[in-house]
């Protein structure tokens, strides 16, 4: 029996793409900061001149999947992270955005075989979002860890024969 697991110490050579929603950037910028801190502490070069990391900004969470898809299809990234924050309002818009963003991100991963971390906060209030983006803890850190683990795991799995 073979057992496959990802590790957090295999960051060398790992190419990471991050797609960040600008809408609710008070929250998403904090998620990005936590994510970058995690990646840096685990050996990913996050400097301005990094050849390991690219960050793309999109208008909102609804646009995350199409840019993640373009990045995944480029063949330049072993793992992608999507960061967004959708906060419930008084209209059904929340439900539409959350459903399409989550389905879209999942489809990108399935269609391209590139792991895509779903780092989109879905909260009822701005306070809840801020708590998850740094006031109590920063889930951006967790999304960075998930990316490291999945990138490492995908490398360890046997490759499909063509």
């Amino acid at each position: 029996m073979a057992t496959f697991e990802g590790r957090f110490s295999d960051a060398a050579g790992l190419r990471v793409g991050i797609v960040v929603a600008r809408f609710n950037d008070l929250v998403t910028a904090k998620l990005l900061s936590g994510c970058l801190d995690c990646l840096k502490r685990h050996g990913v070069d996050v400097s301005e001149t990094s050849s390991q990391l690219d960050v793309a900004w999109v208008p909102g969470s609804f646009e995350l999947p199409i840019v993640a898809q373009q990045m995944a299809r480029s063949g330049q990234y072993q793992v992608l992270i999507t960061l967004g924050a959708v906060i419930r309002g008084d209209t059904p818009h929340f439900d539409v955005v959350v459903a399409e963003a989550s389905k879209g991100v999942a489809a990108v991963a399935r269609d391209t075989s590139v792991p895509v971390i779903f780092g989109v906060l879905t909260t009822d209030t701005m306070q809840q979002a801020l708590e998850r983006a740094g006031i109590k803890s920063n889930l951006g850190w967790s999304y960075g860890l998930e990316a490291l683990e999945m990138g490492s795991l995908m490398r360890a799995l046997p490759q499909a024969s063509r």
Side-chain angles (χ1 to χ4, degrees):
M1 172 181 81
T3 301
F4 300 99
E5 293 182 332
R7 300 181 352 185
F8 305 115
S9 58
D10 275 347
L14 185 67
R15 287 273 297 143
V16 180
I18 304 176
V19 188
V20 189
R22 198 174 303 282
F23 195 80
N24 288 323
D25 67 339
L26 177 64
V27 176
T28 61
K30 292 179 185 308
L31 290 174
L32 177 61
S33 177
C35 186
L36 293 175
D37 185 41
C38 173
L39 295 174
K40 179 180 179 181
R41 290 173 188 255
H42 286 85
V44 175
D45 177 9
V46 300
S47 69
E48 291 289 324
T49 59
S50 175
S51 62
Q52 270 191 284
L53 175 73
D54 292 320
V55 177
W57 287 86
V58 298
S61 293
F62 191 84
E63 292 79 23
L64 292 169
I66 193 162
V67 174
Q69 178 178 281
Q70 182 75 15
M71 292 174 85
R73 287 183 177 167
S74 76
Q76 295 183 35
Y77 306 95
Q78 282 77 51
V79 64
L80 297 170
I81 304 167
T82 57
L83 301 175
V86 185
I87 301 167
R88 188 178 301 280
D90 296 330
T91 67
H93 185 72
F94 171 92
D95 300 310
V96 172
V97 172
V98 169
E100 293 306 314
S102 61
K103 285 189 288 187
V105 167
V108 170
R110 262 191 324 272
D111 295 347
T112 65
S113 297
V114 174
V116 185
I117 307 306
F118 186 72
V120 178
L121 299 181
T122 56
T123 62
D124 289 324
T125 66
M126 176 62 83
Q127 180 65 29
Q128 290 172 341
L130 290 170
E131 287 171 0
R132 287 155 182 79
I135 291 177
K136 289 187 177 179
S137 65
N138 190 324
L139 288 177
W141 178 277
S142 300
Y143 303 140
L145 278 181
E146 290 173 26
L148 293 170
E149 183 175 4
M150 285 302 297
S152 172
L153 175 60
M154 294 301 282
R155 283 189 201 166
L157 290 173
Q159 299 300 309
S161 58
R162 301 198 186 261

